[in-house]
Structures are given as structure tokens and as C-alpha cells.
Amino acid sequence: MLDSDLTVDLAIVGGGFTGNAAALEAARRGATVAMFEAKTIGHGGSGRNVGLVNAGLWLPPEQVIEQMGAKAGQRLMGFLADAPARVWALIQNHGIDCEAKRNGTLHLAHSPAGQRDLARRHRQGRAMGWPVALLDASETARRTGSTAFHGALFDPRAGTIQPLSYVMGIARAATAAGAHLHEGSRVSHIRRHQGTWHLTVNGHHVRAANLLLATNAYFDGIEMGFQPRIVAVSYFQIATAPMPQAMRDRILRRGEGCWDTHTVMSSFRTDAAGRFIIGGIGNLEGPGRDIHLGWARRKLKQTFPELADLPFEYDWRGRIAMTSDHIPKLVRFGPDALAAFGYSGRGIGPGTTFGTLAAVALLENDDTVLPVMPVDAHDERLTTLREAYYESGAILTHAVAARG
């Protein structure tokens, strides 16, 4: 907790993947850096993440290029194709104990139409030089232990982690490199004065030459004349009791992380203790809790019948920062300042990459290192209405899905 005034080269607001990766890189380069987290490290969407270390974006390559243009789209996809390798390198180099499984991910086809979509993604990915493989229903059943899917797209670059352990590991590495990380330190006011950023934190005064706003979906109303414009969508996770060994030998026995092609998607993976973790869009802390829990139970019964009666031990939810075009944003909201947000459910690889490179760009005054060029402003319309739409849509879908 910050308890005195401070002057640094780089101030960072937000203690998730982006903020901690930036703090580590800045300290590694010899800069003085302070990160301020209102709660605890990983309290937000980073620690409450699905745990899938994906390569690329949720969007297929051709759509990224259509929206961004060939040069910018290929640049971003190139950086994010390498994002899992950056994550694995951090884990190895800093000895981060986070249940890392570099065994790939499976994007699962829930229907014939879903398999056709995966075939298009496979074709586009191969054209980009990505080592993805399209699996048929038989191979998918062999890998997942379920006959519920029509096929899958396998990405060997990807994998799974325990996300809170990962972000805390980055924080420890940043501290060891000399960064000052302050939990329980809410930034209440930010202003630019005489060429320097001035932050009010726990009533103390912080001066910074450079500023990175890394709150993503957890911006809490800092008085600063700028607010990241996103649609905040809840995504929950439910962990079962550990599976018996016989089930562990059949279900996701290679340890791939999975998500499906449903419009209201779901995800699942296993952890080191053998728990099966199922996730979906929705807020377990809202009025739809019982509906979401009921859906998860039915989904397990439908997809993995042998898990139908396995007790639920834990549940949690985080917020995802969505943008209309599902492209991450860097906004230069003032001199020597950047805001990074909008990973649209792909926080681990992009957050690590954007945070690391944002620190470099700010300290060296060099935007050419960034995955996307900063914009002066980004707006999202009808955010409150769209957030309500996502949650109500998830409740309605989960109320009727996986029945029968």
C-alpha cells in the first residue's frame, strides 16, 4: 500500500496481466516504476480468467484484415501469434509456478455449421503460416473424451495456466527486478501539469514522466478526463471436485484447453488437482446465478455424462472488456501516456504482450514497437444497454440450453 509521495519514470494503474507485464519490462530496463492496484494483484479479470493461453484473436484472420487493413492486421496477428511463446518464456525464465500446460487448445465444433466455420479458420490460419490442424469428430472424441462435438481446430502453440498464479508470478518477478507494486492503492485523480503526470493515490502525490492505464474492464471512475470505452461482459467459471483417476484418464487426458463455437460460448479445462473447470458468459453474482449453475450442470451431463453428479466446489466470475470490432485498443489520451484495453476475452497473451511493449514504447518514445498504432480516442455506443443485452441473452440461453 502506498504510504508516501513518490516520483517515477513510469506509473501504471492496474495490477493485471497488462500492468504487471509492463512493470516487469520497465524495471528490467532500469526504469523507476510504480504500479497501483486498488484491490489485490489479479483481483480483476486477470486472476478470474478462463486460463487459456491462446494465439491470435477471437476473430478469423480475414476478418481482422478486412477491419484493420492488410498491413495493420497482419502486424497485430503476427504479434499475437507469438504471444503464447512470450507467456511460456516468462514462466520459464522467472520460475512461475502456475500449472502451465503447453499442450495446445481445441476450438470445438458444436454443430456441422461450427465445423464448417472451423474449416474456414483452418484454411485462413494455414495461409498465415500457423501450425493449426483440423480434427474430425473421431479424433476430437479421442482427445476430449466426449462424442458431443463434430470436430475441432487444434492449435499447438497454445495451452493453459492457472491465471491468478501466473499474474502473481509476474508481479513477483517485477518486484525482484526493482518495480514498486502497491496493492490497496486506489488512484483517485490524474492530471497533466508542466510536462509531468500527477496522480493522487491514497491521498499521496505521485509524479511520473510516463503513464500507463491498464485497468481494462475494471476502470472505477478515476477523475482524469478520460475513460476507456468498453462493453464489460461477465464470464464465470465453475470447478468440480477432483475427478477420480479413471475419469482423468479419459477426459482431456492430454490437458488441452477448450472452447466451443456456440454464439454464447462455453469453455472447459482441467487443473492439476483433476478438477474439471467449465465456464460460460454470465454473472454468477447477479440474479441469473441459479440459471447459470443449472446450465453448467446440464452441460456437463450432456457433454461428459460421467461428470453429471460430480459436486461443484468453487465458482467465480470476471469481467471481459469487449470492443465492437473485437480488436484490442491503445489510446494515447495525453503526452507520454497510453491506455490498453479491449482484449475481448483473450487477456493472457495479448495482455502480456501489450503491457510489455507499451512499457518499451513509453520509455523509449517509440510507437513502432507496438502491436497496434495508438489512436487519440476510441468510443463505444450504448455500452450500458449492450452489457444488459449480453447478460440477459446469456440468462435466456442458459435457461433453455443443454436440456433434453
Side-chain angles (χ1 to χ4, degrees):
M1 178 181 292
L2 183 70
D3 58 5
S4 63
D5 293 350
L6 196 63
T7 299
V8 292
D9 297 320
L10 174 63
I12 301 166
V13 185
F17 300 130
T18 304
N20 282 288
L24 173 58
E25 182 63 21
R28 191 186 69 80
R29 290 171 174 265
T32 55
V33 55
M35 187 271 289
F36 306 105
E37 165 56 47
K39 303 289 186 179
T40 57
I41 299 296
H43 171 83
S46 294
R48 302 166 192 271
N49 194 272
V50 176
L52 304 186
V53 184
N54 288 304
L57 295 171
W58 178 77
L59 299 173
E62 289 182 2
Q63 190 171 344
V64 175
I65 290 172
E66 180 181 347
Q67 292 179 184
M68 299 185 69
K71 184 176 180 180
Q74 289 173 354
R75 177 180 177 81
L76 174 60
M77 288 187 290
F79 274 102
L80 297 188
D82 294 335
R86 186 184 296 274
V87 172
W88 306 132
L90 281 178
I91 291 170
Q92 180 175 356
N93 293 343
H94 299 284
I96 299 174
D97 183 6
C98 60
E99 300 184 12
K101 297 179 184 176
R102 197 173 180 176
N103 296 336
T105 54
L106 295 167
H107 191 178
L108 300 166
H110 78 289
S111 66
Q115 182 69 351
R116 291 192 292 272
D117 176 55
L118 295 183
R120 288 190 292 270
R121 290 173 181 266
H122 175 256
R123 173 182 56 79
Q124 294 176 28
R126 296 296 292 182
M128 294 289 296
W130 300 345
V132 292
L134 188 66
L135 310 182
D136 62 16
S138 176
E139 176 64 12
T140 301
R142 189 181 72 82
R143 295 199 185 198
T144 61
S146 172
T147 59
F149 304 105
H150 294 256
L153 187 63
F154 174 64
D155 191 336
R157 300 168 296 177
T160 65
I161 58 172
Q162 207 293 338
L164 181 57
S165 296
Y166 171 65
V167 71
M168 292 178 70
I170 303 173
R172 285 191 295 271
T175 299
H180 299 280
L181 309 186
H182 302 277
E183 296 181 306
S185 299
R186 184 181 181 276
V187 178
S188 59
H189 184 86
I190 298 175
R191 67 187 179 98
R192 179 82 173 177
H193 179 64
Q194 294 183 346
T196 302
W197 288 101
H198 296 256
L199 293 75
T200 303
V201 187
N202 290 352
H204 298 286
H205 187 201
V206 177
R207 296 176 178 83
N210 300 278
L211 174 63
L212 175 63
L213 185 66
T215 54
N216 207 24
Y218 287 79
F219 183 84
D220 63 354
I222 301 169
E223 185 181 343
M224 60 184 296
F226 170 77
Q227 177 176 342
R229 300 294 294 171
I230 54 96
V231 176
V233 177
S234 290
Y235 199 95
F236 65 83
Q237 311 291 322
I238 302 171
T240 69
M243 295 182 289
Q245 189 60 50
M247 291 184 186
R248 297 176 69 174
D249 291 340
R250 293 194 304 272
I251 295 172
L252 293 179
R253 57 189 179 86
R254 292 176 42 158
E256 297 101 332
C258 304
W259 78 102
D260 64 29
T261 56
H262 270 289
T263 301
V264 180
M265 63 164 279
S266 58
S267 61
F268 48 85
R269 65 178 179 91
T270 57
D271 70 6
R275 298 181 186 89
F276 189 93
I277 302 173
I278 182 170
I281 294 174
N283 182 6
L284 288 184
E285 299 169 14
R289 175 179 174 82
D290 289 344
I291 291 174
H292 296 317
L293 289 172
W295 164 83
R297 178 58 66 192
R298 295 193 306 275
K299 184 76 172 180
L300 278 184
K301 182 177 180 180
Q302 179 190 73
T303 310
F304 298 97
E306 59 266 59
L307 300 182
D309 298 321
L310 202 62
F312 290 155
E313 280 195 341
Y314 305 103
D315 63 71
W316 61 95
R317 70 104 181 186
R319 294 203 298 268
I320 294 170
M322 303 282 286
T323 60
S324 296
D325 59 5
H326 302 294
I327 302 293
K329 307 301 176 190
L330 284 170
V331 175
R332 188 175 296 286
F333 59 91
D336 308 312
L338 289 171
F341 57 91
Y343 305 129
S344 296
R346 292 292 182 99
I348 298 173
T352 302
T353 298
F354 272 61
T356 300
L357 298 178
V360 178
L362 287 167
L363 293 172
E364 298 188 358
N365 192 28
D366 182 7
D367 288 349
T368 65
V369 303
L370 293 168
V372 296
M373 286 297 101
V375 295
D376 292 333
H378 173 75
D379 193 20
E380 294 282 337
R381 298 181 180 278
L382 305 173
T383 56
T384 302
L385 182 62
R386 288 162 60 196
E387 289 168 1
Y389 168 80
Y390 277 111
E391 178 59 21
S392 61
I395 290 174
L396 290 171
T397 298
H398 288 167
V400 301
R403 293 187 181 275

